[in-house]
Amino acid sequence: QTLAEMNLDEKKHNPRGVLSMISAAKNELIGPEQYPAHDYRAEIVRRIYARYDELLLQCNARDFDDLLTHTVYLFRAHEAVLERYQRRYEHILVDEFQDTNMAQYELVKQLAGERRNLFAVGDPDQSIYAFRGADYRNVMRFRDDYPDSRMILLEQNYRSHQAILDAATGVIDQNPGRVKKQLFSERKEGPLVTIFEAHNEEDEARYIVETITDLVNYAGYEPGDFAVMYRTNAQSRALEEGLLRAGLSYR
């Protein structure tokens, strides 16, 4: 509606893409007035953002990000309201803290207030939601804002063999400024990590299928001994086609 009103071509200014940029700004508590218009496209997004928020207000509506940002702004503007909720929530626990965004962090700080009864569980090494506004640096901000807090490292892993933990640590240890952890497992024995660099999804599927086939044919394994893990649903197609070509049934 905003794009049509402003005579902007949806092919040049994809609604979903523009909304994603507005959402990212809201997650950082950046309003239309503060939106950095460093180039022509950003200036257009800033104008869309301003009009979009006006239309939301006219409709007495909020989008998903407003549920956070408007609460933060409400608490900033009305101390009595904030104090009411600070009294109501005496202790605050935040799980998956590495996946919080700036608006969520500000909201947590507001609610914790003077009591500072705040308990956060998180691991910046495991942050994977930056694409939707999560900021692993909130873990560092927490340490700066609450210097008297106590940090408890949970370093024992109950899922993986030690070889897996050592490989993961070897990668993540390169990050500057991170809290060093010594991950350990009582499961000491296990196969070493194997790395295969595939050129595309068909190459990846072929390697996986050939590995399974060889182990079934020559190493005494059954097809039901195998599970293939993948990150997104779109990856399953190449795997399924490879298994079908090899005559391997799967579920």
Side-chain angles (χ1 to χ4, degrees), residues 2-3 5 8 18-19 24-25 32 57 63 66 90 99 110-111 133 149 152 155 172 175 183 185 190 211:
T2 302
L3 291 170
E5 185 182 294
L8 292 168
V18 173
L19 189 60
L57 200 60
D63 66 18
D66 289 338
E90 293 186 22
D99 292 328
Q110 288 175 322
L111 290 171
S149 61
I152 302 168
E155 296 174 298
I172 206 72
N175 277 8
L183 301 181
S185 172
T211 301

Side-chain angles (χ1 to χ4, degrees), residues 30-54:
I30 298 171
E33 306 81 14
Q34 299 87 35
Y35 193 86
H38 46 74
D39 57 27
Y40 173 74
R41 175 168 171 75
E43 173 59 26
I44 293 297
V45 172
R46 188 192 66 77
R47 294 179 192 174
I48 296 169
Y49 183 0
R51 182 57 185 150
Y52 167 67
D53 262 11
E54 286 177 2

Side-chain angles (χ1 to χ4, degrees), residues 15 127 184 229 232 238 243:
S127 184
F184 70 93
M229 301 178 72
T232 61
L243 291 164

Side-chain angles (χ1 to χ4, degrees), residues 19-36:
L19 189 60
S20 177
M21 296 171 77
I22 293 172
S23 174
K26 289 188 176 187
N27 286 335
E28 292 287 319
L29 295 174
I30 298 171
E33 306 81 14
Q34 299 87 35
Y35 193 86

Side-chain angles (χ1 to χ4, degrees), residues 201-202 205-206 209 234-243 245:
E201 63 269 31
E202 286 83 11
R206 183 167 51 251
V209 172
Q235 291 176 275
S236 72
R237 177 165 181 166
L239 291 165
E240 292 188 61
E241 289 176 347
L243 291 164
R245 280 195 297 270

Side-chain angles (χ1 to χ4, degrees), residues 121-139:
V121 182
D123 182 359
D125 294 346
Q126 296 186 45
S127 184
I128 59 171
Y129 290 113
F131 68 92
R132 66 180 192 203
D135 190 346
Y136 72 94
R137 292 172 297 182
N138 282 347
V139 177

Side-chain angles (χ1 to χ4, degrees), residues 72 75 86 92-94 97 100-113 118-120 142 146:
V72 170
F75 286 165
Q86 286 174 338
I92 299 169
L93 172 94
V94 187
F97 194 71
T100 55
N101 59 39
M102 196 63 202
Q104 290 169 320
Y105 181 68
E106 182 66 23
L107 187 60
V108 166
K109 278 181 62 180
Q110 288 175 322
L111 290 171
L118 184 55
F119 187 100
F142 182 96
Y146 300 95

